[in-house]
Amino acid sequence: MHTGIKNGKLHTINIYSVKLFFLFLAIIIASASGPVIKGQKKWVIVIDAGHGGRDSGAQGAITYEKNIALAIALKTGEYIEQNLNNVTVLYTRKNDTFVELQDRASFANKNNADLFISIHANWAKAKNIRGTETFIMGLAKDEQNLEVAMKENEVILLENDHSTKYEGFDPKSPESYIMFTLMQNIYQEQSTSLASKIQSQYKESVKRIDRGVKQAGFWVLFMTTMPSVLTETGFITSPEEEKFLNSKQGQDYIASSIFRACREYVNELDNKSGISAINDQKEESPSSPLIIEVTSPAEILYMVQITASSTQTELKPDNFKGLNDVIEINSSERFKYASGRFADYDDAVKYRKKLEEFYPDAFVIAVKENKILPLQQALEQKKKKTKDISK
């Protein structure tokens, strides 16, 4: 990518880069926290709700990025706290307050966090661009990734004396991002692992468009001393995605996806030490729901997906904690199993809550002719049908 940098300017930027390089090294040495296998002590996960206060972030037609980020962050933390017994969750903010960018990273470093997850909503000039993407620290490999990083780093300009605090770093200048070429993130492999798990959950569990795992120069990731990711949960500039992200069910689905990815990551490392982060299951079994009969297999109904597997499981209660109504859903990717049949979405949500202590990652799905439909599409079809009937 051509930046049009003059020699004098390039020389100045490199001075800033060297300063930042030694600052970054000092933080790592002070923290003394290289990549280690967890298991013997409690995990600390810092959840960072992007923007806040006078920094509204990206603006959609009906809401601001800061509000979506906070709602999803709090729900994600709640899922983790309720279901992972060896994890402590800390938040960079729990209300609509302004937090400086460097303070977010500093908070995670001071608390010796093991994971740092920054939650955001994306922005684009074109309203038809949709999907989720999760970033790790690194040099942007294309102009689009650079634009995302520049947009998120702009918050620096709202801070007092930002030029001094950030050693002359200008979030709007592509030249400033040269400094990231000097850095090699020692947590890149671990960060990539977590980011990949988050994207996989978005795609498989919530049927979001997968824009992949990417890297770019986010200051908040640059200054952390642990595996860190910044996840863009959707485009607030897309009317469809803004509506989804602003809804309670949309926020719940995104938060549960991030939770499941964290659980998988934590257990993947803890299992090497023979430790499980999942709360012990109770002896009793969940009661099966009232089955709502549908008049036609072509009708849309709501169910609760309780598990998925790469291998087929025999449909008997003993294999599903006593549930006797479990069915296998047609899927080209994996064997998916669901319980309950409801004509009303709210009834399915209530049933999911009953199953949470036995299946903490259960979620509501829409099913038609034994195939899963995108939930938002199903809700809109149901709504349209109701209106047509009432005419």
Side-chain angles (χ1 to χ4, degrees):
M1 179 178 64
H2 177 66
T3 60
I5 305 171
K6 295 182 180 179
N7 288 337
K9 183 65 175 178
L10 177 60
H11 178 70
T12 302
I13 293 297
N14 280 340
I15 290 174
Y16 293 144
S17 302
V18 171
K19 283 184 179 180
L20 291 167
F21 176 70
F22 284 108
L23 174 62
F24 183 70
L25 285 181
I27 292 173
I28 291 181
I29 293 170
S31 66
S33 58
V36 295
I37 294 177
K38 298 289 297 180
Q40 298 304 314
K41 73 181 185 73
K42 202 172 184 72
W43 284 75
V44 176
I45 298 179
V46 169
I47 298 178
D48 172 47
H51 308 281
R54 64 178 183 269
D55 172 25
S56 60
Q59 182 177 353
I62 58 177
T63 190
Y64 293 103
E65 179 184 1
K66 67 175 184 178
N67 300 327
I68 289 173
L70 180 60
I72 294 174
L74 295 178
K75 286 189 176 185
T76 300
E78 183 180 357
Y79 268 116
I80 295 173
E81 290 170 330
Q82 290 178 350
N83 297 293
L84 301 184
N85 62 9
N86 70 334
V87 176
T88 296
V89 177
L90 301 176
Y91 303 85
T92 57
R93 69 180 180 99
K94 298 185 75 172
N95 49 42
D96 187 20
T97 55
F98 178 77
V99 182
E100 293 188 355
L101 211 56
Q102 65 176 7
D103 290 340
R104 297 171 188 265
S106 178
F107 176 78
N109 295 340
K110 288 178 180 177
N111 284 282
N112 296 315
D114 302 294
L115 289 177
F116 178 86
I117 303 170
S118 190
I119 297 174
H120 292 256
N122 221 332
W123 179 94
K125 292 179 182 179
K127 293 184 177 181
N128 63 336
I129 296 179
R130 297 178 295 150
T132 63
E133 53 194 14
T134 301
F135 287 86
I136 65 169
M137 178 57 212
L139 181 66
K141 294 183 177 180
D142 58 45
E143 188 172 344
Q144 189 176 49
N145 291 0
L146 177 61
E147 287 179 357
V148 175
M150 293 173 74
K151 185 74 175 175
E152 299 296 357
N153 288 335
E154 278 183 7
V155 62
I156 290 173
L157 302 178
L158 297 178
E159 301 179 19
N160 296 325
D161 198 21
H162 60 82
S163 182
T164 301
K165 287 180 183 176
Y166 298 95
E167 298 286 345
F169 177 79
D170 180 0
K172 290 188 174 183
S173 170
E175 299 169 359
S176 287
Y177 290 80
I178 293 174
M179 72 180 190
F180 297 125
T181 64
L182 300 175
M183 310 303 170
Q184 182 177 4
N185 188 353
I186 62 174
Y187 299 101
Q188 187 174 46
E189 183 177 345
Q190 291 163 293
S191 298
T192 301
S193 175
L194 176 60
S196 298
K197 288 174 171 54
I198 290 174
Q199 283 300 122
S200 178
Q201 287 294 333
Y202 287 155
K203 179 182 178 181
E204 294 183 9
S205 300
V206 200
K207 306 301 179 185
R208 311 312 292 169
I209 296 173
D210 179 17
R211 294 172 60 89
V213 174
K214 302 179 179 180
Q215 63 180 47
F218 293 91
W219 186 277
V220 73
L221 302 183
F222 169 60
M223 295 305 292
T224 55
T225 57
M226 72 284 305
S228 305
V229 300
L230 186 149
T231 184
E232 298 282 5
T233 57
F235 283 82
I236 197 172
T237 44
S238 160
E240 178 185 340
E241 291 203 334
E242 182 184 17
K243 182 179 178 182
F244 176 79
L245 292 172
N246 198 47
S247 68
K248 288 186 177 180
Q249 63 260 36
Q251 293 165 2
D252 188 64
Y253 274 43
I254 293 295
S256 62
S257 294
I258 299 172
F259 151 68
R260 286 191 293 272
C262 287
R263 184 187 63 179
E264 184 180 353
Y265 179 92
V266 168
N267 279 337
E268 194 173 272
L269 296 187
D270 277 352
N271 284 341
K272 296 178 181 179
S273 301
I275 296 174
S276 176
I278 303 176
N279 288 330
D280 294 336
Q281 302 288 356
K282 297 183 179 180
E283 291 296 327
E284 65 269 17
S285 300
S287 57
S288 293
L290 172 67
I291 303 300
I292 306 298
E293 294 295 338
V294 291
T295 57
S296 167
E299 290 288 331
I300 295 174
L301 64 149
Y302 301 101
M303 306 185 71
V304 179
Q305 183 174 318
I306 56 176
T307 187
S309 174
S310 58
T311 58
Q312 194 169 24
T313 302
E314 184 180 353
L315 296 177
K316 62 180 183 179
D318 288 348
N319 291 336
F320 298 97
K321 304 184 187 300
L323 290 173
N324 57 20
D325 69 326
V326 176
I327 67 167
E328 182 180 299
I329 304 292
N330 288 339
S331 174
S332 60
E333 300 173 354
R334 309 180 74 185
F335 297 99
K336 299 180 179 181
Y337 299 93
S339 173
R341 288 195 297 165
F342 302 93
D344 186 75
Y345 172 77
D346 290 337
D347 290 335
V349 171
K350 292 176 183 177
Y351 179 54
R352 182 189 68 81
K353 291 181 178 179
K354 292 181 180 180
L355 293 181
E356 275 185 343
E357 60 180 313
F358 303 96
Y359 291 100
D361 57 346
F363 56 95
V364 178
I365 58 175
V367 178
K368 182 177 181 180
E369 297 177 333
N370 201 38
K371 293 183 179 180
I372 298 176
L373 297 178
L375 185 61
Q376 194 66 34
Q377 176 186 327
L379 290 169
E380 290 174 356
Q381 286 184 16
K382 279 268 190 178
K383 186 177 180 179
K384 184 178 183 297
K385 184 176 181 180
T386 301
K387 286 183 178 180
D388 292 341
I389 293 175
S390 61
K391 288 182 181 179

XYZ file of all heavy atoms in Angstrom, residues 250-308:
455
model
N -31.050 -10.646 19.660
C -29.811 -10.534 18.906
C -28.610 -10.377 19.815
O -27.581 -11.039 19.635
N -28.724 -9.516 20.811
C -27.650 -9.312 21.767
C -27.377 -10.588 22.557
O -26.222 -10.928 22.831
C -28.018 -8.168 22.711
C -28.074 -6.820 22.023
C -28.776 -5.753 22.838
O -29.202 -6.001 23.971
N -28.907 -4.557 22.275
N -28.447 -11.290 22.900
C -28.302 -12.540 23.643
C -27.578 -13.586 22.812
O -26.713 -14.312 23.313
C -29.687 -13.050 24.058
C -29.603 -14.241 24.992
O -29.080 -14.073 26.105
O -30.067 -15.330 24.611
N -27.902 -13.661 21.540
C -27.276 -14.650 20.663
C -25.797 -14.353 20.450
O -24.962 -15.258 20.470
C -28.000 -14.690 19.311
C -29.200 -15.614 19.309
C -30.081 -15.623 20.373
C -29.452 -16.466 18.243
C -31.178 -16.464 20.377
C -30.550 -17.308 18.228
C -31.407 -17.308 19.306
O -32.485 -18.137 19.313
N -25.470 -13.080 20.241
C -24.067 -12.715 20.058
C -23.283 -12.976 21.337
O -22.172 -13.539 21.310
C -23.948 -11.239 19.642
C -24.535 -11.012 18.240
C -22.486 -10.788 19.676
C -23.800 -11.721 17.129
N -23.854 -12.582 22.475
C -23.173 -12.782 23.762
C -22.951 -14.258 24.059
O -21.878 -14.657 24.526
C -23.989 -12.142 24.888
N -23.950 -15.077 23.774
C -23.802 -16.511 24.036
C -22.754 -17.130 23.115
O -22.070 -18.086 23.486
C -25.146 -17.231 23.884
O -25.628 -17.122 22.563
N -22.610 -16.585 21.914
C -21.577 -17.074 20.997
C -20.186 -16.783 21.543
O -19.296 -17.640 21.518
C -21.736 -16.411 19.621
O -22.935 -16.805 19.003
N -19.995 -15.556 22.041
C -18.697 -15.195 22.623
C -18.422 -16.044 23.862
O -17.295 -16.520 24.069
C -18.661 -13.699 22.975
C -18.869 -12.851 21.715
C -17.332 -13.330 23.636
C -19.045 -11.365 21.988
N -19.446 -16.265 24.677
C -19.294 -17.115 25.851
C -18.850 -18.524 25.475
O -17.923 -19.086 26.062
C -20.610 -17.177 26.635
C -20.798 -18.466 27.401
C -19.993 -18.767 28.497
C -21.742 -19.395 27.000
C -20.145 -19.965 29.179
C -21.899 -20.591 27.670
C -21.102 -20.875 28.771
N -19.517 -19.113 24.488
C -19.180 -20.485 24.111
C -17.749 -20.579 23.593
O -17.050 -21.566 23.841
C -20.171 -21.008 23.063
C -21.532 -21.346 23.634
C -22.388 -22.105 22.630
N -22.753 -21.289 21.484
C -23.816 -20.511 21.434
N -24.616 -20.413 22.483
N -24.098 -19.812 20.347
N -17.321 -19.544 22.875
C -15.944 -19.521 22.381
C -14.957 -19.435 23.545
O -13.937 -20.132 23.558
C -15.743 -18.335 21.448
N -15.270 -18.615 24.542
C -14.416 -18.507 25.735
C -14.365 -19.827 26.487
O -13.302 -20.272 26.926
C -14.939 -17.411 26.670
S -14.655 -15.740 26.089
N -15.511 -20.450 26.623
C -15.568 -21.726 27.338
C -14.715 -22.781 26.633
O -13.971 -23.524 27.274
C -17.023 -22.211 27.424
C -17.187 -23.485 28.239
C -18.591 -24.018 28.149
N -18.927 -24.397 26.789
C -20.104 -24.914 26.440
N -21.047 -25.082 27.344
N -20.331 -25.239 25.185
N -14.822 -22.812 25.308
C -14.032 -23.773 24.549
C -12.535 -23.502 24.704
O -11.741 -24.426 24.874
C -14.432 -23.705 23.067
C -13.735 -24.747 22.198
C -14.150 -24.658 20.746
O -15.083 -23.884 20.420
O -13.532 -25.349 19.920
N -12.178 -22.221 24.645
C -10.766 -21.838 24.779
C -10.239 -22.180 26.171
O -9.158 -22.776 26.308
C -10.623 -20.336 24.525
C -9.213 -19.816 24.647
C -8.381 -19.736 23.532
C -8.702 -19.402 25.873
C -7.077 -19.262 23.630
C -7.402 -18.926 25.984
C -6.603 -18.862 24.871
O -5.313 -18.392 24.991
N -10.981 -21.812 27.213
C -10.563 -22.072 28.592
C -10.424 -23.569 28.843
O -9.421 -24.046 29.391
C -11.560 -21.446 29.590
C -11.299 -21.950 31.009
C -11.461 -19.926 29.561
N -11.432 -24.327 28.438
C -11.394 -25.770 28.681
C -10.306 -26.461 27.868
O -9.731 -27.465 28.305
C -12.757 -26.393 28.372
C -13.741 -26.216 29.512
O -13.326 -26.030 30.654
N -15.015 -26.236 29.208
N -10.033 -25.942 26.703
C -8.987 -26.520 25.856
C -7.643 -26.500 26.569
O -6.879 -27.459 26.502
C -8.904 -25.728 24.553
C -8.122 -26.407 23.458
C -8.227 -25.652 22.148
O -9.175 -25.908 21.388
O -7.356 -24.785 21.894
N -7.362 -25.405 27.282
C -6.115 -25.316 28.041
C -6.216 -26.013 29.389
O -5.288 -26.700 29.821
C -5.724 -23.850 28.231
C -5.390 -23.067 26.964
C -4.862 -21.682 27.312
C -4.350 -23.798 26.119
N -7.353 -25.836 30.067
C -7.502 -26.450 31.380
C -7.530 -27.967 31.307
O -7.072 -28.651 32.237
C -8.778 -25.953 32.055
C -8.569 -24.612 32.748
O -7.409 -24.175 32.829
O -9.550 -24.006 33.201
N -8.075 -28.512 30.231
C -8.145 -29.964 30.111
C -6.767 -30.606 30.047
O -6.597 -31.786 30.372
C -8.957 -30.367 28.875
C -10.442 -30.185 29.091
O -10.905 -30.108 30.228
N -11.201 -30.103 28.012
N -5.776 -29.825 29.633
C -4.406 -30.343 29.635
C -3.911 -30.589 31.060
O -2.969 -31.337 31.283
C -3.474 -29.363 28.925
C -3.796 -29.196 27.440
C -2.881 -28.180 26.785
C -3.217 -28.008 25.307
N -2.372 -27.006 24.643
N -4.584 -29.923 31.997
C -4.234 -30.120 33.408
C -5.295 -30.926 34.141
O -5.285 -31.006 35.367
C -4.064 -28.760 34.097
O -3.067 -28.006 33.466
N -6.276 -31.448 33.379
C -7.314 -32.271 33.992
C -8.340 -31.468 34.751
O -8.994 -31.977 35.664
N -8.517 -30.177 34.409
C -9.450 -29.309 35.114
C -10.562 -28.912 34.173
O -10.334 -28.629 33.003
C -8.733 -28.055 35.639
C -7.689 -28.469 36.668
C -9.708 -27.050 36.229
C -6.824 -27.343 37.136
N -11.804 -28.857 34.691
C -12.939 -28.431 33.888
C -13.502 -27.135 34.438
O -13.657 -26.978 35.638
C -14.045 -29.499 33.893
O -15.168 -29.021 33.188
N -13.793 -26.204 33.546
C -14.323 -24.908 33.969
C -15.841 -24.903 34.042
O -16.437 -23.974 34.541
C -13.874 -23.820 33.001
N -16.474 -25.957 33.534
C -17.927 -25.983 33.503
C -18.468 -26.331 34.872
O -17.994 -27.254 35.533
C -18.436 -27.017 32.472
C -17.865 -26.696 31.095
C -19.956 -27.053 32.433
C -18.231 -27.690 30.042
N -19.495 -25.596 35.317
C -20.120 -25.894 36.597
C -20.663 -27.308 36.589
O -21.174 -27.805 35.588
C -21.270 -24.914 36.874
C -20.757 -23.532 37.201
O -19.671 -23.385 37.750
N -21.542 -22.516 36.862
N -20.543 -28.007 37.732
C -21.024 -29.376 37.841
C -22.516 -29.437 37.540
O -23.312 -28.641 38.042
C -20.778 -29.911 39.266
C -19.287 -30.042 39.553
O -18.516 -30.178 38.585
O -18.902 -29.989 40.742
N -22.904 -30.422 36.753
C -24.310 -30.594 36.442
C -25.025 -31.243 37.618
O -24.477 -32.053 38.355
C -24.470 -31.479 35.194
C -23.786 -30.952 33.956
C -24.503 -29.739 33.399
O -25.544 -29.343 33.894
N -23.926 -29.141 32.376
N -26.309 -30.884 37.813
C -27.090 -31.462 38.892
C -27.557 -32.863 38.504
O -27.634 -33.218 37.343
C -28.288 -30.558 39.193
C -27.850 -29.174 39.685
C -29.042 -28.330 40.042
C -28.593 -26.956 40.564
N -29.735 -26.103 40.930
N -27.941 -33.638 39.525
C -28.318 -35.025 39.291
C -29.648 -35.128 38.558
O -29.845 -35.986 37.727
C -28.407 -35.764 40.639
C -27.054 -35.952 41.322
C -26.125 -36.838 40.511
O -26.618 -37.759 39.830
O -24.919 -36.627 40.553
N -30.610 -34.229 38.919
C -31.925 -34.356 38.327
C -31.891 -33.979 36.855
O -30.984 -33.301 36.400
C -32.944 -33.483 39.081
C -32.675 -31.996 38.978
C -31.798 -31.482 40.088
O -31.132 -32.304 40.749
O -31.763 -30.265 40.290
N -32.915 -34.387 36.127
C -32.994 -34.116 34.700
C -34.011 -33.021 34.451
O -34.973 -32.866 35.207
C -33.416 -35.382 33.944
O -32.470 -36.411 34.153
N -33.842 -32.256 33.374
C -34.835 -31.236 33.055
C -36.121 -31.885 32.585
O -36.106 -32.954 31.975
C -34.174 -30.449 31.922
C -33.256 -31.423 31.273
C -32.742 -32.295 32.398
N -37.240 -31.254 32.896
C -38.511 -31.811 32.457
C -38.752 -31.452 31.008
O -38.388 -30.374 30.556
C -39.658 -31.254 33.319
O -39.664 -29.838 33.262
N -39.377 -32.370 30.285
C -39.669 -32.089 28.880
C -40.789 -31.064 28.785
O -41.660 -30.990 29.647
C -40.090 -33.378 28.169
O -39.000 -34.274 28.112
N -40.797 -30.264 27.735
C -41.802 -29.209 27.607
C -43.122 -29.734 27.076
O -43.212 -30.857 26.597
C -41.173 -28.269 26.586
C -40.430 -29.204 25.685
C -39.874 -30.275 26.602
N -44.125 -28.883 27.176
C -45.390 -29.192 26.534
C -45.192 -29.093 25.033
O -44.703 -28.101 24.533
C -46.477 -28.192 26.985
C -47.825 -28.272 26.261
C -48.503 -29.597 26.608
C -48.711 -27.100 26.663
N -45.543 -30.134 24.314
C -45.360 -30.139 22.866
C -46.517 -29.394 22.205
O -47.682 -29.697 22.442
C -45.287 -31.582 22.326
C -44.166 -32.347 23.011
C -45.111 -31.570 20.817
C -42.800 -31.740 22.797
N -46.191 -28.434 21.397
C -47.211 -27.693 20.666
C -47.359 -28.315 19.283
O -46.441 -28.293 18.481
C -46.813 -26.205 20.522
C -46.498 -25.607 21.895
C -47.906 -25.421 19.814
C -47.667 -25.601 22.848
N -48.526 -28.879 19.024
C -48.729 -29.535 17.737
C -48.868 -28.492 16.632
O -49.528 -27.468 16.793
C -49.995 -30.403 17.787
C -49.884 -31.593 18.740
C -48.845 -32.585 18.302
O -48.501 -32.604 17.087
O -48.365 -33.348 19.140
N -48.259 -28.744 15.508
C -48.406 -27.864 14.364
C -49.237 -28.569 13.308
O -49.188 -29.786 13.167
C -47.022 -27.483 13.785
C -46.292 -26.582 14.745
C -46.201 -28.714 13.458
N -50.024 -27.774 12.604
C -50.963 -28.381 11.659
C -50.298 -28.842 10.379
O -50.824 -29.670 9.658
C -52.065 -27.362 11.299
O -51.439 -26.177 10.773
C -52.848 -26.959 12.551
N -49.141 -28.320 10.078
C -48.471 -28.664 8.832
C -46.967 -28.653 9.038
O -46.443 -27.794 9.746
C -48.839 -27.651 7.740
O -47.981 -27.791 6.625
N -46.253 -29.619 8.435
C -44.794 -29.619 8.560
C -44.150 -28.390 7.935
O -42.994 -28.085 8.180
C -44.381 -30.907 7.826
C -45.523 -31.195 6.892
C -46.744 -30.742 7.621
N -44.943 -27.672 7.105
C -44.409 -26.474 6.470
C -44.484 -25.257 7.386
O -43.996 -24.188 7.049
C -45.166 -26.186 5.176
N -45.117 -25.423 8.560
C -45.212 -24.333 9.527
C -43.858 -24.088 10.192
O -43.079 -25.015 10.414
C -46.250 -24.673 10.608
C -47.689 -24.674 10.125
C -48.200 -23.272 9.848
O -47.725 -22.315 10.492
O -49.064 -23.139 8.970
N -43.602 -22.827 10.508
C -42.390 -22.489 11.254
C -42.654 -22.704 12.738
O -43.696 -22.289 13.268
C -41.999 -21.011 11.018
C -41.621 -20.792 9.552
C -40.845 -20.607 11.933
C -41.371 -19.335 9.191
N -41.762 -23.387 13.414
C -41.865 -23.551 14.849
C -40.517 -23.251 15.483
O -39.485 -23.233 14.817
C -42.336 -24.951 15.229
C -41.440 -26.135 14.866
C -41.612 -27.237 15.884
C -41.818 -26.677 13.486
N -40.549 -22.992 16.775
C -39.332 -22.647 17.509
C -38.950 -23.792 18.446
O -39.804 -24.369 19.123
C -39.539 -21.360 18.305
C -39.904 -20.189 17.434
C -41.227 -19.756 17.331
C -38.934 -19.528 16.678
C -41.567 -18.692 16.505
C -39.269 -18.463 15.850
C -40.594 -18.052 15.770
O -40.926 -17.006 14.952
N -37.667 -24.117 18.429
C -37.144 -25.179 19.267
C -35.904 -24.669 19.998
O -35.427 -23.560 19.728
C -36.800 -26.414 18.424
C -37.924 -26.930 17.559
S -37.533 -28.481 16.696
C -37.544 -29.632 18.080
N -35.395 -25.477 20.898
C -34.178 -25.114 21.618
C -33.080 -26.102 21.256
O -33.191 -27.296 21.576
C -34.394 -25.111 23.145
C -33.093 -24.759 23.857
C -35.480 -24.123 23.526
N -32.072 -25.617 20.535
C -30.949 -26.491 20.212
C -30.100 -26.666 21.458
O -29.631 -25.700 22.056
C -30.100 -25.905 19.084
C -28.957 -26.833 18.675
C -28.199 -26.337 17.458
O -28.797 -25.876 16.502
N -26.879 -26.435 17.498
N -29.879 -27.910 21.866
C -29.163 -28.179 23.112
C -27.724 -28.639 22.888
O -26.871 -28.461 23.753
C -29.916 -29.230 23.970
C -30.147 -30.515 23.162
C -31.242 -28.665 24.462
C -30.792 -31.637 23.958
N -27.462 -29.209 21.724
C -26.101 -29.681 21.473
C -25.897 -29.948 19.988
O -26.860 -30.032 19.221
C -25.808 -30.968 22.280
O -24.425 -31.323 22.154
C -26.650 -32.127 21.791
N -24.666 -30.073 19.610
C -24.297 -30.434 18.244
C -23.044 -31.281 18.309
O -22.223 -31.133 19.219
C -24.069 -29.194 17.389
